[in-house]
């Protein structure tokens, strides 16, 4: 599904990712952990195609296609979804209009018929109930007046509607209380599927207790310095990230 080789990325001329390799098979959930500033968001953002990053070298292939050659909107159409660490409010843009356009862009890409306003509403309202999304959600502007937890919930909800194939979630767990974390985790787990891959960026083990990953990678100073199974989350919680600095210094 995703194969990253030797990826080097700079921000403002400073090299942040320094030759990163990572591959994720369809059906798998991988977690990327690591200290603040290690490049986790940079990795997720570069895969999604956000502005402000210079790719210095390496490759990112998605279903055998050169992802870096695609515009961000084409990556989204092709099924790449990035959930934000801090979902933004977009005053003036109706959630219903935005979501229908996004859903129909995905449907078109898959050769499916587009949904008219009525069919879309029926589909969306059913799903809103499942995820406990507040009823005025569709009438509001994107995320306007939502609490942090509500924004994250809305983010997961949008993701479910788009039926993405590669899901990138950047600290979706930050700032969530335990109930919101459960709702968000349930939403993520519901999306686990044999034809879908997920990359969860997180600082903490808590999310991974609810969404057990197949693999965990530890990022430090722009490189994956350790990979392992789910048990790695527990080890990290005990040892912290201090050992990384020692390891980097000796290397
Ligand atoms: P993480 O998500 O692991 O905390 P980031 O990918 O956000 O790490 O950041 C990695 C490094 O890149 C940090 O040193 C950060 O200061 C720098 N960086 C990230 N984004 C920007 C930006 N837009 N402008 C300047 N520096 C940035
Ligand atoms: Mg950070
Ligand atoms: Mg980050």
């Amino acid at each position: 599904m995703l194969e990253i080789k030797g990826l080097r990325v700079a921000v403002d001329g400073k090299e942040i990712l320094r030759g990163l390799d990572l591959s994720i098979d369809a059906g798998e959930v991988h977690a990327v952990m690591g200290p603040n500033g290690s490049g986790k968001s940079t990795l997720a953002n570069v895969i999604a195609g956000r502005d402000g990053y210079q790719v210095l070298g390496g490759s990112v292939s998605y279903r055998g296609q050169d992802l870096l050659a695609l515009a961000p909107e084409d990556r989204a159409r092709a099924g790449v979804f990035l959930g934000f660490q801090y979902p933004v409010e977009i005053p003036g843009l109706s959630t219903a209009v935005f979501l229908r356009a996004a859903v129909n862009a995905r449907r078109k890409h898959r050769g499916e018929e587009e949904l008219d306003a009525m069919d879309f509403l029926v589909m969306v309202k059913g799903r809103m109930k499942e995820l406990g999304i507040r009823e005025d959600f569709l009438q509001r502007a994107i995320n306007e007046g939502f609490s942090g937890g509500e924004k994250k919930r809305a983010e997961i909800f949008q993701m479910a509607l788009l039926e993405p194939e590669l899901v990138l979630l950047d600290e979706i767990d930050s700032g969530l209380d335990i109930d919101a974390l459960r709702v968000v985790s349930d939403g993520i787990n519901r999306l686990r599927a044999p034809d879908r891959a997920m990359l969860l960026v997180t600082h903490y083990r808590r999310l991974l207790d609810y969404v057990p990953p197949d693999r965990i990678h530890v990022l430090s100073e722009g490189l994956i310095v350790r990979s392992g199974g789910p048990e790695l989350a527990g080890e990290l919680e005990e040892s912290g990230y201090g050992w990384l600095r020692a390891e980097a210094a000796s290397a």
Side-chain angles (χ1 to χ4, degrees), residues 11-12 14 16-17 34-43 45 51-53 85 170-171 201 203 219:
V11 177
D12 287 342
K14 183 185 164 207
I16 306 294
L17 299 183
N36 250 321
S38 55
K40 303 183 298 296
S41 295
T42 300
L43 174 63
N45 291 341
D51 278 346
Y53 299 93
Q85 186 169 2
D170 189 0
E171 296 201 28
V201 168
H203 213 67
L219 195 59

Side-chain angles (χ1 to χ4, degrees), residues 100 115-130 138 157 161:
R100 186 156 76 94
L115 296 175
D116 65 25
M118 219 37 230
D119 292 341
F120 176 74
L121 273 183
V122 170
M123 187 270 280
V124 170
K125 289 203 163 154
R127 301 250 189 130
M128 280 168 62
K129 262 206 179 122
E130 283 175 15
L138 289 173
F157 175 65
L161 284 183

Side-chain angles (χ1 to χ4, degrees), residues 181 185 189 204-213 230 233-234 237:
L181 181 67
S185 303
N189 283 325
Y204 302 105
R205 172 188 177 174
R206 207 171 61 141
L207 174 71
L208 305 182
D209 286 339
Y210 291 96
V211 186
E237 190 162 73

Side-chain angles (χ1 to χ4, degrees), residues 17-207:
L17 299 183
R18 303 180 301 131
L20 183 140
D21 299 310
L22 173 67
S23 74
I24 309 182
D25 285 336
E28 290 184 342
V29 174
H30 287 218
V32 170
M33 303 182 77
N36 250 321
S38 55
K40 303 183 298 296
S41 295
T42 300
L43 174 63
N45 291 341
V46 160
I47 298 171
R50 287 190 82 183
D51 278 346
Y53 299 93
Q54 300 92 46
V55 175
L56 305 175
S59 61
V60 179
S61 111
Y62 167 66
R63 298 183 163 287
Q65 199 178 7
D66 176 8
L67 198 61
L68 298 176
L70 295 182
E73 59 272 23
D74 290 326
R75 299 183 199 193
R77 278 191 200 102
V80 177
F81 179 93
L82 173 65
F84 292 116
Q85 186 169 2
Y86 306 106
V88 288
E89 300 190 12
I90 311 178
L93 178 56
S94 141
T95 300
V97 168
F98 164 72
L99 279 182
R100 186 156 76 94
V103 165
N104 278 335
R106 279 288 285 146
R107 292 178 70 92
K108 208 169 158 188
H109 180 84
R110 289 188 301 220
E112 295 165 8
E113 217 171 291
E114 297 184 20
L115 296 175
D116 65 25
M118 219 37 230
D119 292 341
F120 176 74
L121 273 183
V122 170
M123 187 270 280
V124 170
K125 289 203 163 154
R127 301 250 189 130
M128 280 168 62
K129 262 206 179 122
E130 283 175 15
L131 260 180
I133 299 290
R134 47 196 284 174
E135 285 195 2
D136 64 352
F137 171 71
L138 289 173
Q139 280 79 51
R140 290 192 184 215
I142 302 279
N143 285 327
E144 200 169 35
F146 285 14
S147 71
E150 282 171 336
K151 284 180 189 173
K152 299 271 167 97
R153 232 184 247 217
E155 197 80 357
I156 292 294
F157 175 65
Q158 291 172 28
M159 169 175 89
L161 284 183
L162 294 175
E163 300 179 0
E165 285 152 67
L166 177 61
V167 172
L168 313 163
L169 296 175
D170 189 0
E171 296 201 28
I172 193 82
D173 50 340
S174 72
L176 295 186
D177 63 27
I178 198 76
D179 293 326
L181 181 67
R182 263 200 202 115
V183 172
V184 164
S185 303
D186 284 352
I188 298 171
N189 283 325
R190 244 198 295 260
L191 273 169
R192 287 181 100 131
D195 53 357
R196 184 172 285 142
M198 300 196 195
L199 183 67
L200 307 177
V201 168
T202 183
H203 213 67
Y204 302 105
R205 172 188 177 174
R206 207 171 61 141
L207 174 71

